[in-house]
Amino acid sequence: MPTWMNLSFQDSASPLMEQLYFFHDHTMIILIMITILAGYILMNIIFTPYFNRYMLEGQELESFWTLIPALLLIFIALPSLRTLYLMDENLSPEITLKVSGFQWYWVYEFSDFKKTEIESFLSPLKDSSIRLLEVDNPIPLPLFSQIRVIVSSNDVIHSWAVPSMGVKVDALPGRLNQTSIFTSRVGKFSGQCSEICGANHSFMPISIEVVPQSNFISWLFI
């Protein structure tokens, strides 16, 4: 759960979010190195009173500052493309979860089982709850399972987002968008509608509880 002191991402709850975390760190290291080098060169130019008035060109230097940025862009693009394709992969899902956005709540449906629709509303604030993130019906998902998530909307454009799982999907009226989740640890993970969908946009929380598979099966057949 993020707090006001957090400067980075939430702890990952899926392998996809781990890959996004690694790519972020990979890119930030490159950017920090470029920033330090550029700052060092600028400081030298500003504070050094000497210059060579006969130096009009430098072929080696021009080749260097053309090739090095190109190699750095390739070094960033390769892991970026790999992660992008991993986000679109949805091989052999075990469960299908359909998510529908309404004003101002979510409706979940496990179409593979008899227990179909679950409405999830914002809960009133209690002493032990977290403001604007607690719901009356959190959605249970089984641990270590590949889950296909189909997202749509019944009124306006919403966005179903759970940061700790690396998921953010637009919910569009009349359209089905698809993503996948692989749950890697037990816990309760929260999100919110990430589209400015109206006056009560901030009152559409998402709450997912990842539980052991035996608990999920027990919940299904209660």
Side-chain angles (χ1 to χ4, degrees):
M1 180 63 61
T3 64
W4 66 273
M5 291 186 65
N6 280 16
L7 297 178
S8 189
F9 299 112
Q10 301 179 31
D11 292 338
S12 60
S14 69
L16 177 59
M17 188 58 195
E18 290 180 6
Q19 293 298 317
L20 291 172
Y21 214 145
F22 294 154
F23 175 67
H24 170 267
D25 294 344
H26 167 83
T27 308
M28 287 304 297
I29 289 174
I30 296 175
L31 292 178
I32 290 171
M33 291 171 59
I34 293 172
T35 303
I36 292 173
L37 177 61
Y40 173 76
I41 294 173
L42 286 174
M43 291 300 104
N44 275 345
I45 293 173
I46 292 171
F47 293 108
T48 301
Y50 305 106
F51 63 91
N52 189 345
R53 62 178 178 173
Y54 298 108
M55 185 173 178
L56 301 179
E57 64 175 351
Q59 297 291 339
E60 295 83 2
L61 182 60
E62 292 174 5
S63 301
F64 176 78
W65 71 41
T66 302
L67 291 176
I68 295 302
L71 293 175
L72 288 176
L73 288 176
I74 294 173
F75 199 55
I76 294 174
L78 292 178
S80 173
L81 293 173
R82 175 179 176 274
T83 306
L84 183 63
Y85 278 98
L86 284 175
M87 293 173 70
D88 285 337
E89 288 292 337
N90 195 4
L91 300 176
S92 303
E94 301 173 26
I95 299 172
T96 299
L97 172 66
K98 183 180 179 184
V99 181
S100 300
F102 290 79
Q103 294 177 316
W104 310 99
Y105 62 98
W106 297 98
V107 174
Y108 300 92
E109 180 181 347
F110 289 98
S111 55
D112 301 324
F113 306 99
K114 292 182 179 179
K115 184 173 286 190
T116 55
E117 288 192 356
I118 304 166
E119 295 182 346
S120 184
F121 289 86
L122 174 69
S123 290
L125 187 64
K126 300 178 182 178
D127 293 338
S128 59
S129 64
I130 302 172
R131 184 175 181 270
L132 299 183
L133 289 178
E134 291 288 342
V135 299
D136 55 355
N137 291 317
I139 300 304
L141 293 179
L143 182 65
F144 299 132
S145 298
Q146 187 73 37
I147 300 160
R148 175 171 51 200
V149 183
I150 297 174
V151 184
S152 185
S153 173
N154 281 51
D155 36 51
V156 298
I157 298 176
H158 301 284
S159 184
W160 195 75
V162 184
S164 58
M165 293 188 173
V167 175
K168 184 179 183 295
V169 187
D170 287 339
L172 304 174
R175 180 184 175 95
L176 295 178
N177 285 334
Q178 178 177 281
T179 187
S180 63
I181 295 174
F182 184 86
T183 53
S184 60
R185 64 186 177 97
V186 173
K188 187 173 183 179
F189 309 102
S190 300
Q192 286 179 306
C193 176
S194 297
E195 187 72 44
I196 302 178
C197 55
N200 294 325
H201 145 78
S202 60
F203 299 99
M204 290 185 67
I206 301 161
S207 184
I208 293 176
E209 286 189 8
V210 179
V211 297
Q213 294 188 1
S214 57
N215 293 17
F216 179 75
I217 294 172
S218 301
W219 173 82
L220 278 176
F221 296 102
I222 289 178

